[in-house]
Amino acid sequence: MRPGGMLVQRRDDDNHDHQDGAAASASWGPVIRINVARGPSQYEVHVPARSTFGDLKKAISEKTGLDPQEQKVLFRGKEKENNEHLDVSGVKDKSKVLLLEELTNKEKKPEEVKDSPEKKHEYAKDREEMRKALQAIAGVRAEVDKLSERVASLEVAVNGGTKVPSEELDTSAELLMKELLKLDGIEAEGEAKVQRKTEVRRVQKFHETLDNLKAINSNPFCDSSNAIKVVTQWETFDSGMGSLNPPPLAPSSTTINQDWERFD
């Protein structure tokens, strides 16, 4: 009641706001838990079921500190756009998404870098380092390509039964090890780091092939020419291959038997 006797109706703002919030919450659906994988790290974020992936990125940003514009969110192997809705894309409670980082400051375009001279200098330096790293990796790749042909030739020879000098296998392994050491000495980030890792796995695979070839090559029966000689020697016996009968006695043995018979 106001002064003067006028009756007025009081508006319950708090109750009205609560009703609006409840209606909005109902329109967004129930809150669901989403597991976010970022490399070896795992995060759990809570968002309404009808949120967009843009909303999800904001929630992820609160957990990881990574700005939404620097995020790539993949669900079922596909990158999702900010305006796509979680429920429409099939995201449910406890669904898992993959978080990738967009271009880092080292890889951003010049217009995305702040205008300060220090930032521009740092960007130019990082780009030059990446160029050198990629160039070094390309040089190693060219050498590994040549060595791959050498390993392939050795593989054909050894698997075909030809015994090759062990020095050939050892030299190939040493050359591959040199390239592996070169890769280990290359400082790389971003795309250069991915390419370096690919070449390391490639060299390691060739090393495994050479180890297997060494084991086969050390077998004395891997030489097909020696195997033929062994078979030929057995075929000269009159008893024939596979016979259980012993070969006939040599003439010298027969003479000794006759001498003993004369003593009887």
Side-chain angles (χ1 to χ4, degrees):
M1 178 180 291
R2 290 182 177 178
M6 180 181 294
L7 294 173
V8 295
Q9 182 179 1
R10 180 186 177 189
R11 180 179 177 182
D12 191 349
D13 292 336
D14 293 340
N15 184 55
H16 185 269
D17 291 342
H18 177 73
Q19 291 177 351
D20 289 344
S25 177
S27 65
W28 285 98
V31 174
I32 59 175
R33 295 163 294 178
I34 299 179
N35 297 317
V36 181
R38 181 190 182 191
S41 303
Q42 301 286 330
Y43 305 93
E44 184 178 273
V45 296
H46 301 77
V47 292
R50 297 191 181 96
S51 301
T52 64
F53 278 91
D55 299 324
L56 175 60
K57 288 181 179 181
K58 294 177 182 177
I60 292 174
S61 178
E62 295 177 0
K63 286 278 187 177
T64 64
L66 188 65
D67 291 337
Q69 61 267 24
E70 295 179 350
Q71 299 177 23
K72 268 188 179 181
V73 175
L74 282 73
F75 180 63
R76 294 176 179 172
K78 295 182 179 180
E79 182 180 358
K80 310 305 290 185
E81 299 295 335
N82 291 339
N83 58 355
E84 295 185 68
H85 286 80
L86 302 180
D87 57 334
V88 176
S89 299
V91 178
K92 301 177 181 178
D93 188 43
K94 296 184 179 180
S95 289
K96 184 175 182 180
V97 300
L98 180 63
L99 173 63
L100 300 178
E101 189 172 352
E102 279 279 13
L103 294 176
T104 62
N105 286 336
K106 292 182 178 182
E107 298 169 324
K108 285 182 178 179
K109 297 178 181 179
E111 58 268 19
E112 296 175 349
V113 181
K114 293 183 179 180
D115 296 333
S116 64
E118 294 81 6
K119 288 290 184 180
K120 289 183 178 180
H121 177 72
E122 182 182 353
Y123 171 78
K125 181 180 177 182
D126 292 337
R127 293 297 296 177
E128 179 62 19
E129 289 178 355
M130 179 172 289
R131 186 192 66 79
K132 290 181 179 179
L134 290 172
Q135 186 176 7
I137 294 169
V140 172
R141 186 185 299 113
E143 293 299 322
V144 175
D145 287 341
K146 296 177 183 177
L147 290 172
S148 67
E149 297 177 0
R150 180 170 182 163
V151 173
S153 299
L154 291 171
E155 190 173 14
V156 171
V158 173
N159 289 336
T162 301
K163 188 175 181 64
V164 300
S166 58
E167 293 79 4
E168 286 288 333
L169 298 171
D170 294 337
T171 301
S172 298
E174 291 175 3
L175 292 174
L176 285 170
M177 182 58 68
K178 288 182 180 179
E179 300 307 318
L180 195 60
L181 292 174
K182 289 181 185 178
L183 290 170
D184 187 60
I186 299 175
E187 295 184 3
E189 294 292 340
E191 178 62 24
K193 188 174 182 179
V194 174
Q195 291 190 22
R196 184 185 65 182
K197 188 175 182 180
T198 300
E199 287 305 312
V200 168
R201 289 179 176 175
R202 189 172 171 224
V203 173
Q204 290 173 342
K205 183 178 179 181
F206 288 137
H207 260 293
E208 292 175 0
T209 301
L210 287 174
D211 288 340
N212 293 333
L213 294 179
K214 287 179 181 179
I216 298 173
N217 195 59
S218 62
N219 187 342
F221 296 102
C222 72
D223 191 340
S224 59
S225 60
N226 288 339
I228 294 173
K229 289 180 181 178
V230 172
V231 173
T232 304
Q233 290 171 3
W234 279 103
E235 287 176 349
T236 57
F237 288 112
D238 295 335
S239 58
M241 184 175 293
S243 173
L244 297 178
N245 297 325
L249 297 175
S252 58
S253 300
T254 305
T255 303
I256 294 172
N257 289 340
Q258 290 174 356
D259 292 341
W260 278 103
E261 287 174 0
R262 283 198 293 269
F263 280 106
D264 291 341

